Amino acid sequence: MGDFQNKAEELKGSAKEAFGDVTDNEDLQAEGAAEKQKAEVKQAAEDVKDAFGR
């Protein structure tokens, strides 16, 4: 998965989390935060792979 896809997943999670904040939906907030965190971890793994030349 490339940088673009990871960023798209991160933005989707952020949007879901923000919508949960607005609607006071704790489940949606948590789901969005988890998706955002997962995308950030994937991106960090890609960065490590890139640093070591894959």
Side-chain angles (χ1 to χ4, degrees):
M1 200 183 290
D3 291 340
F4 178 76
Q5 289 175 326
N6 289 331
K7 193 62 172 175
E9 283 185 27
E10 185 179 341
L11 290 173
K12 178 183 165 191
S14 292
K16 207 179 263 192
E17 186 177 15
F19 189 72
D21 287 340
V22 170
T23 60
D24 200 29
N25 183 331
E26 292 180 5
D27 291 335
L28 196 56
Q29 289 171 324
E31 186 178 328
E35 284 183 16
K36 187 170 71 171
Q37 184 71 26
K38 183 178 173 184
E40 290 170 352
V41 169
K42 285 181 183 179
Q43 185 59 48
E46 288 290 324
D47 291 344
V48 169
K49 286 180 188 177
D50 289 343
F52 287 100
R54 292 190 178 214

